[in-house]
Amino acid sequence: MENLELRTALIATCRAMNASGINQGTSGNVSVRAGDGFLITPSGMPYDTMTPEDIVDMAFDGSYQGPRPSSEWRFHRDILEARTDANAVVHCHSVHATALACHHRSIPSFHYMTAVAGGTDIKCAGYATFGTQELSDKVLTALEGRRACLLGQHGQIAIDKSLSAALWLATEVETLSQIYINALALGEPPVLSDKEMAAVIEKMNSQSYGQSSD
């Protein structure tokens, strides 16, 4: 089977995503670049029973081989086509990130770790019906200059060079979301200046902070 190692890694990522608690059931979806296209999880299939044969091989023109792909294949395709710096996309419905997304709240630089997503904040994309091109377009806008975003009344997306790095980032976004919600209980927290965040980002980049070894 072609790309067996990548298919196996994709399934492992999905299972780890659910085991960590940042996703539930068959919600969420994951993709990884493979050759001239990408591999993506099928629609509505439990991760625990998924096999390498179930992973869908898609081309950037939307054609595919295998089962029906995730309903969110459009934003996976568009992200991987537009962002040559990313090879993997993790989408999940983590509880705290989704709670913020239900209020269309972006995550400001209230904590220096916000910089792990690549900028001074983590933006929230506007709402659009799941699986639509409109949602994909909004996602690409929210991800400009970023490696993660929230989805209005939906969930979150994290992208990176590898599956493990994208999963790590999605987990960090959920942790930041939980801390932010807790901090909001005491009032709107102060934010770090753009100058300080630029220094943090530079230091993270110089130390390959949070980047996967693979």
Side-chain angles (χ1 to χ4, degrees):
M1 175 180 293
E2 193 173 359
N3 295 313
L4 178 58
E5 186 175 348
L6 271 181
R7 290 168 182 266
T8 302
L10 195 153
I11 294 170
T13 301
C14 293
R15 291 175 180 172
M17 178 175 69
N18 276 25
S20 71
I22 65 168
N23 195 65
Q24 312 79 35
T26 60
S27 63
N29 26 78
V30 179
S31 67
V32 62
R33 193 184 302 277
D36 294 330
F38 61 100
L39 301 174
I40 188 169
T41 48
S43 178
M45 186 175 294
Y47 300 129
D48 286 344
T49 61
M50 199 175 288
T51 67
E53 291 82 4
D54 295 322
I55 299 302
V56 185
D57 189 348
M58 290 201 75
F60 286 109
D61 64 5
S63 61
Y64 65 90
Q65 297 177 22
R68 184 162 53 94
S70 165
S71 60
E72 301 293 12
W73 64 266
R74 287 176 178 81
F75 68 60
H76 286 268
R77 176 198 61 186
D78 292 350
I79 290 170
L80 291 172
E81 190 168 35
R83 296 290 297 267
T84 56
D85 59 321
N87 294 320
V89 180
V90 170
H91 165 52
C92 63
H93 296 175
S94 58
V95 173
H96 296 89
T98 302
L100 291 176
C102 286
H103 284 274
H104 289 235
R105 288 191 84 126
S106 297
I107 302 175
S109 54
F110 79 105
H111 191 290
Y112 81 91
M113 282 291 285
T114 307
V116 295
T120 59
D121 62 359
I122 299 173
K123 300 182 185 301
C124 184
Y127 175 79
T129 305
F130 76 93
T132 61
Q133 188 59 47
E134 182 185 4
L135 176 59
S136 182
D137 293 343
K138 291 177 183 292
V139 165
L140 288 183
T141 297
L143 281 175
E144 288 179 3
R146 304 289 188 273
R147 290 191 297 275
C149 71
L150 307 184
L151 306 180
Q153 293 164 294
H154 189 152
Q156 62 141 306
I157 292 174
I159 68 175
D160 218 315
K161 294 179 180 179
S162 68
L163 286 164
S164 58
L167 179 60
W168 179 88
L169 181 54
T171 303
E172 288 300 313
V173 170
E174 172 59 12
T175 299
L176 282 165
S177 299
Q178 184 174 9
I179 295 170
Y180 185 41
I181 289 172
N182 288 342
L184 285 170
L186 302 176
E188 190 70 48
V191 298
L192 296 170
S193 67
D194 288 350
K195 181 179 179 181
E196 174 56 24
M197 289 298 287
V200 170
I201 292 169
E202 182 179 3
K203 189 168 186 177
M204 285 183 171
N205 289 338
S206 68
Q207 296 180 357
S208 300
Y209 193 93
Q211 295 182 20
S212 172
S213 60
D214 58 2

